[in-house]
Amino acid sequence: MTTPHPYTGKLAVLYENHGDPLPFAQLAEQLAVPLRTTEAADFSQHEAFFLSWRDGCLKLLDHELLKKGGMTVDIEPRQGEQRSWPAPKDGALAKALGRKTKTVVDATTGWGQDSLHIFRMGYELLCIERSPLMAALLADGLQRLAQADWMQRLQLQPPRLLVGNAIDVLAALPELPDCIYLDPMFPPKRKKSALAKKSMMVLRDLLGDDEDKDALFAAAMQATGKRVVVKCPDYAEPLGGVKPNDSFHGKLLRYDVFLK
Ligand SMILES: C[S@@+](CC[C@H](N)C(=O)[O-])C[C@H]1O[C@@H](n2cnc3c(N)ncnc32)[C@H](O)[C@@H]1O
């Protein structure tokens, strides 16, 4: 039996009648989703989400954003983050990654916001993402990062992205990283959290909860050289039903550290 395509009826690539249409057609084919054009009067009746290049970035649009804007992999440092490279290794995330850690694998890259923070702190980073949609958005973000002035000035390469289920990818890593970082999707505590960012809510809408997170945790414990760090909401039970060796608290969230 074939599994239904995860984006069936939900996602299309949208060509807005400017620029070369070829990359749009190629992306639609790669993701096996329809290609729509704004010329067709009822294009927005079909899907809830659209992918389109706007202002030089690949963007994810819902109906609210169709006129203008879009969600994209943001390569700019977060508010309050120092703009030098490497940025200081401080804050709860750096503490959880560990003072002696050099190599990190982010096995749940998503919108890449944690990955890019980890990269900007100077860790050697490998990214893994299983959703082809998120992987397309990430590939576009990493390409923009490669072209950023500061990256070119410092002759830095953006982190590598592997597309696939991390449970399999981790088992095949040629070298054990110092740390494997996990941020799977947990079920929300309330139906709609006013605090959840729109981009994260959309991710949940499109991909659903990560039901196999315990298996991912087990695979990460096997594949790590030294530690696994799990980001979770402050109300969630630790992953894998194991007591963490340490926990560092951020705003409404926790980084649990599991030593090998
Ligand atoms: C909550 S989001 C991560 C957000 C990310 N930390 C950020 O800063 O944007 C979870 C992501 O992990 C991915 N994911 C979950 N389980 C995975 C697995 N076993 N292998 C690869 N990717 C996975 C999901 O597809 C989703 O994009």
Side-chain angles (χ1 to χ4, degrees), residues 93 97 104-109 114 118 128 166-167 170 179-186 212-221 227-232 239 254-256 258:
L93 173 57
L97 295 178
V104 179
V105 174
D106 182 350
T108 55
T109 306
D114 293 329
I118 292 169
I128 307 174
I167 296 174
L170 289 175
C179 175
I180 296 179
Y181 179 74
L182 306 177
D183 174 22
M185 252 168 310
F186 286 81
D212 55 354
K213 43 184 167 309
D214 281 332
L216 176 59
F217 175 71
M221 285 306 282
R227 64 175 65 203
V228 172
V229 172
V230 182
K231 179 181 178 182
C232 60
L239 217 56
R254 207 174 70 226
Y255 298 101
D256 286 341
F258 302 87

Side-chain angles (χ1 to χ4, degrees), residues 142-197:
L142 294 176
Q143 213 175 332
R144 281 183 280 118
L145 179 68
Q147 283 153 13
D149 283 353
W150 64 273
M151 287 283 291
Q152 302 219 337
R153 201 175 51 246
L154 295 165
Q155 298 187 326
L156 295 171
Q157 295 295 321
R160 207 153 61 94
L161 170 67
L162 297 180
V163 186
N165 190 330
I167 296 174
D168 307 321
V169 178
L170 289 175
L173 287 180
E175 276 170 40
L176 303 188
D178 297 331
C179 175
I180 296 179
Y181 179 74
L182 306 177
D183 174 22
M185 252 168 310
F186 286 81
K189 196 174 178 186
R190 295 162 219 91
K191 268 232 157 82
K192 257 210 162 67
S193 158
L195 294 161
K197 264 180 86 178

